Amino acid sequence: MKKALITGITGQDGSYLTELLLKKGYEVFGLIRRSSSFNTDRIDHLYKDPHEQPKLKLIYADLTDGSNLHSVLNEINPDEVYNLGAQSHVRVSFDQPIYTANVDALGTLRVLEAIRSMKKPAKFYQASSSEMYGKVVETPQTEKTPFYPRSPYGCAKVYSFWQTVNYREAYNLFACNGILFNHESPRRGETFVTRKITRAATRIKLGLQNKLYLGNIEAKRDWGFAGDYVEAMWLMMQQEKADDFVIATGETHSVKEFLNEVFGQLNLDWKKYVEIDAKYYRPTEVDLLLGNPSKAKKVLGWQPKVGFKELAKMMTETDIKIAENEKLLKDHSK
């Protein structure tokens, strides 16, 4: 039985990847940080009968603690390590640049060093980001497009990208980068713009909220479904040779288009409810991201299955149920 270790297992991507790997018969180990409350909502449904030997195990560890990572990796001896753990919010990275660099840049280096110390080094996947392209120098972006990051988050991810390449070339490790463009789902964090929109729109529909405040609604992104993108991560790790791949849909849509789609499904006019608030603008904006996934399609045989409209519908349908439950609770408490 193959063993996989996932950092960031409680996040959106971590939960979908865990589902995929368990279906494929893996034993999965997830790293979680110690905190006063459990944040395992996205993976709670993956625990089976408590009397069975669990195929999913959670271990306390932190990307800021290299010696701890070293001990964990050498004890578990995983075949594959997926580094998805990060301070993943671009806007927050401007408020917490040092913490972001410590986790997102140096955290990757700590994992790579821990892998290098293993008797049989694990295969390594690094969650790279389209934010590395930032102020894009060409459209669409490919694996050969130069990086021009526009946030502390983007800068940290560029550092991690090149460390991954360097460890591959210097130490002959199987280390690959997935340059993932924006990928969303009903499990997306509520501070990210797509989920912020679907949560607000459904609450507005049911009279639980009056306004939605957003920043730059002209920004364009290449949006895919997280469930499709974790499949690409796994495929990268099954190749003979480690390489770097852009994972994207090859389509771009603005935040405004996403608003149209979501509010339209609820028969609402978003212009009546959305207000622009300057505090949601980033100090340096990324206006347009559009990926070219042709290498992934050709080499990995990967295809995105869920389109833009379907994604918006899936997220809206999930959030209307959450809003309905909120309304029931509110009505009962009166």
Side-chain angles (χ1 to χ4, degrees):
M1 186 192 296
K2 270 190 176 179
K3 289 186 202 172
L5 183 139
I6 302 171
T7 73
I9 193 167
T10 58
Q12 168 187 257
D13 294 8
S15 68
Y16 281 110
L17 179 61
T18 302
E19 278 179 358
L20 178 77
L21 295 178
L22 289 173
K23 273 183 198 151
K24 291 186 180 294
Y26 280 66
E27 189 175 6
V28 179
F29 297 82
L31 299 193
I32 57 169
R33 286 173 296 168
R34 279 203 182 274
S35 69
S36 55
S37 60
F38 282 109
N39 178 29
T40 57
D41 304 356
R42 293 186 182 99
I43 53 172
D44 286 345
H45 67 289
L46 296 171
Y47 286 99
K48 302 288 185 239
D49 183 338
H51 304 296
E52 284 181 23
Q53 183 66 20
K55 294 268 174 61
L56 170 60
K57 298 186 177 81
L58 300 181
I59 294 161
Y60 288 116
D62 199 303
L63 289 171
T64 60
D65 184 348
S67 62
N68 182 211
L69 290 169
H70 187 284
S71 305
V72 167
L73 264 84
N74 280 280
E75 189 182 323
I76 293 169
N77 265 322
D79 300 287
E80 298 171 2
V81 173
Y82 294 85
N83 186 33
L84 313 182
Q87 186 301 99
S88 61
H89 203 288
V90 178
R91 182 65 195 80
V92 171
S93 77
F94 286 99
D95 303 323
Q96 295 193 302
I98 293 166
Y99 175 72
T100 301
N102 192 8
V103 176
D104 299 13
L106 293 177
T108 305
L109 185 57
R110 292 181 188 108
V111 176
L112 284 163
E113 270 296 282
I115 288 173
R116 194 162 74 91
S117 75
M118 292 169 68
K119 280 197 183 86
K120 187 189 172 208
K123 289 181 167 186
F124 176 74
Y125 170 86
Q126 169 58 18
S128 288
S129 165
S130 57
E131 287 288 332
M132 300 188 304
Y133 296 120
K135 190 176 179 180
V136 297
V137 297
E138 67 175 9
T139 299
Q141 294 88 53
T142 72
E143 293 80 5
K144 293 188 163 59
T145 303
F147 300 135
Y148 194 146
R150 299 269 281 172
S151 63
Y153 171 82
C155 293
K157 285 291 187 180
V158 169
Y159 177 92
S160 287
F161 176 92
W162 286 117
Q163 284 290 10
T164 301
V165 173
N166 191 245
Y167 270 66
R168 180 167 76 218
E169 293 175 356
Y171 305 116
N172 204 27
L173 291 185
F174 187 105
C176 58
N177 284 289
I179 307 171
L180 271 57
F181 279 66
N182 291 62
H183 45 291
E184 318 298 312
S185 75
R187 298 180 198 170
R188 190 56 145 152
E190 291 184 19
T191 56
F192 290 86
V193 70
T194 49
R195 187 78 197 289
K196 188 176 171 181
I197 289 168
T198 56
R199 280 290 279 134
T202 50
R203 294 184 91 250
I204 287 166
K205 179 71 178 175
L206 295 177
L208 296 166
Q209 188 172 329
N210 299 317
K211 292 282 179 193
L212 166 60
Y213 297 93
L214 294 172
N216 179 15
I217 64 170
E218 302 300 334
K220 291 186 169 181
R221 294 291 183 270
D222 183 329
W223 275 306
F225 171 52
D228 290 343
Y229 284 36
V230 298
E231 198 180 329
M233 297 176 188
W234 178 78
L235 286 167
M236 279 179 229
M237 296 283 260
Q238 311 317 308
Q239 302 306 302
E240 291 267 311
K241 186 170 164 284
D243 204 351
D244 309 315
F245 294 90
V246 163
I247 305 300
T249 67
E251 284 181 23
T252 191
H253 297 274
S254 66
V255 175
K256 196 188 275 184
E257 283 177 78
F258 196 81
L259 281 168
N260 265 327
E261 202 60 45
V262 172
F263 278 80
Q265 283 173 30
L266 299 164
N267 296 314
L268 296 172
D269 177 1
W270 66 265
K271 295 183 189 74
K272 291 179 182 171
Y273 306 100
V274 173
E275 289 191 14
I276 305 303
D277 188 336
K279 81 174 180 189
Y280 293 113
Y281 276 83
R282 302 173 186 176
T284 39
E285 276 293 334
V286 172
D287 297 315
L288 168 68
L289 290 172
L290 173 61
N292 178 352
S294 56
K295 180 178 170 184
K297 288 179 177 180
K298 186 181 168 192
V299 177
L300 306 175
W302 177 81
Q303 285 279 359
K305 300 181 189 85
V306 178
F308 178 72
K309 286 177 183 291
E310 202 182 332
L311 179 64
K313 186 168 185 276
M314 177 198 297
M315 292 175 72
T316 307
E317 284 174 353
T318 302
D319 280 340
I320 196 78
K321 286 176 189 158
I322 293 171
E324 281 165 357
N325 286 336
E326 280 181 298
K327 193 170 191 317
L328 273 174
L329 285 170
K330 193 181 175 189
D331 291 346
H332 281 313
S333 65
K334 280 180 183 172

